[in-house]
Amino acid sequence: MPSAIFGSIEAGAMYALMALGVYLSFRVLDFPDLTVDGSFVTGGAVAAVLIVGGTNPFLATILAFVAGFLAGSVTGLLHTKGKINPLLSGIIMMIALYSINLRIMGKSNIPLLSEETVITKLTDFWQGLGLDNALAFIGFVPKTWAILILMLILALFVKVMIDWFLKTDIGLAIRATGNNETMIRSFSANTDTLKILGLGLSNGLVALSGGLVAQYNGFSDVGMGIGMIVIGLASVIIGEAIFGAKTIFRATLAVIGGAILYRIIVTLALRVEFLETGDMKLITALIVVFALVLPKILEKQKERQRKKKRMLQAGME
């Protein structure tokens, strides 16, 4: 059990980057972007092809981000310049990316187990420092602490950069576009450019996550992005429900926590005897429903308590 939970936290830290991208599109821009299912695979495909071709894995991972940024920008162009419905724009790009990803990879699956990746390089660097032995006092001894700690550091770094960006003039304009597009246009802001930029950054983070996950799993597969948008939304909703989202700092931190919690919940659920690996999508759907419904039930309960309290106070008077 401890090793399974440890692995879920490792994976959660990498998927947190994808969840932060989903947060940018759905919460900040208020744009229902379904490109995520395709751009996640694009990141993995670009990283895998470049690594197999001999490119430095760190450069390959950065280029995966660039590929995702371009995919998100095209979605933005379809919506802003093509005047296509936001939901339909994402669906069109998601479908197009399936064929594009196959073109990039040349086949449906690219193995990376025999290649030098970001994961292997980080692990070798960490073990060279001898930090695993230094953490032996904790009691639980995994194969290595490298991936967990370094991926958490990366997720927190990206979180800090997003917090900073959203407080800049451009970031504030993107937030205003998602909140009230008509108002921000009245200040002569180019909302089309802001949407394209926001969607580009969102899908860039999703592709970055896809590139890291492909290297972590040891392969890139054309079907690895199926249902990724639901997983991202589940992470955002769970994080906001448990940790709150009153400020940008708290919201982005909640998204990271939500991504890790989601992975832990799925891991624990799959250990139930009557559930199988094929039930993972059903588990995800149930988690999302629960995370959406529970806050509303709790809010209604609090409202009833407030009404009851007011009635008691009125009776005493």
Side-chain angles (χ1 to χ4, degrees):
M1 177 68 81
S3 59
I5 297 296
F6 184 85
S8 64
I9 296 173
E10 273 186 344
M14 280 180 273
Y15 281 102
L17 299 173
M18 181 269 296
L20 285 169
V22 172
Y23 169 78
L24 282 177
S25 59
F26 273 83
R27 286 289 188 257
V28 176
L29 265 179
D30 193 25
F31 191 103
D33 184 21
L34 300 186
T35 312
V36 171
D37 282 16
S39 58
F40 185 85
V41 182
T42 301
V46 169
V49 168
L50 290 174
I51 289 171
V52 170
T55 305
N56 181 285
F58 289 100
L59 177 59
T61 306
I62 292 171
L63 291 175
F65 171 87
V66 174
F69 182 92
L70 293 174
S73 297
V74 173
T75 301
L77 285 168
L78 288 173
H79 169 60
T80 57
K81 305 304 180 183
K83 306 302 178 183
I84 300 174
N85 177 276
L87 193 62
L88 189 56
S89 299
I91 292 172
I92 290 170
M93 196 58 198
M94 176 183 67
I95 294 170
L97 281 174
Y98 183 86
S99 297
I100 293 170
N101 293 334
L102 275 175
R103 283 280 186 176
I104 293 171
M105 296 169 65
K107 51 186 176 180
S108 61
N109 185 288
I110 296 180
L112 294 170
L113 292 173
S114 60
E115 303 293 335
E116 193 173 54
T117 65
V118 166
I119 303 301
T120 58
K121 279 184 170 291
L122 290 177
T123 302
D124 292 342
F125 169 75
W126 181 270
Q127 291 177 342
L129 296 176
L131 293 174
D132 282 332
N133 294 328
L135 294 171
F137 70 92
I138 295 176
F140 172 69
V141 184
K143 186 177 180 180
T144 180
W145 289 91
I147 308 307
L148 173 62
I149 293 176
L150 294 176
M151 287 300 113
L152 281 175
I153 291 173
L154 176 61
L156 290 172
F157 172 76
V158 172
K159 174 240 183 312
V160 170
M161 293 304 295
I162 289 174
D163 292 348
W164 168 79
F165 174 73
L166 292 178
K167 291 178 182 177
T168 62
D169 290 343
I170 296 176
L172 288 169
I174 290 175
R175 290 164 63 186
T177 300
N179 188 52
N180 191 330
E181 185 176 347
T182 304
M183 181 202 72
I184 193 67
R185 273 186 176 174
S186 68
F187 290 101
S188 300
N190 190 331
T191 55
D192 287 356
T193 301
L194 293 170
K195 284 183 179 181
I196 293 168
L197 176 61
L199 290 171
L201 290 173
S202 169
N203 284 279
L205 289 175
V206 171
L208 175 62
S209 175
L212 291 171
V213 169
Q215 294 172 68
Y216 177 75
N217 291 336
F219 66 90
S220 174
D221 188 88
V222 73
M224 64 187 286
I226 296 173
M228 208 51 59
I229 184 62
V230 180
I231 294 173
L233 282 173
S235 301
V236 172
I237 293 166
I238 291 170
E240 290 179 345
I242 294 175
F243 303 107
K246 291 184 178 179
T247 63
I248 291 294
F249 175 86
R250 191 170 173 179
T252 50
L253 189 62
V255 169
I256 295 173
I260 294 172
L261 277 174
Y262 167 79
R263 284 286 148 188
I264 293 174
I265 292 169
V266 170
T267 299
L268 294 174
L270 289 175
R271 297 183 75 87
V272 177
E273 290 184 6
F274 63 86
L275 291 176
E276 301 175 359
T277 306
D279 297 324
M280 188 171 175
K281 301 302 180 186
L282 174 61
I283 294 168
T284 300
L286 292 174
I287 291 171
V288 173
V289 171
F290 182 76
L292 285 169
V293 172
L294 183 61
K296 294 179 181 178
I297 294 174
L298 293 175
E299 183 59 33
K300 285 183 179 180
Q301 187 176 1
K302 288 179 182 178
E303 183 62 28
R304 282 197 295 267
Q305 290 175 349
R306 285 194 291 265
K307 286 181 179 179
K308 187 176 180 181
K309 188 177 181 179
R310 286 196 295 266
M311 288 175 67
L312 288 172
Q313 288 176 346
M316 290 176 65
E317 292 174 358

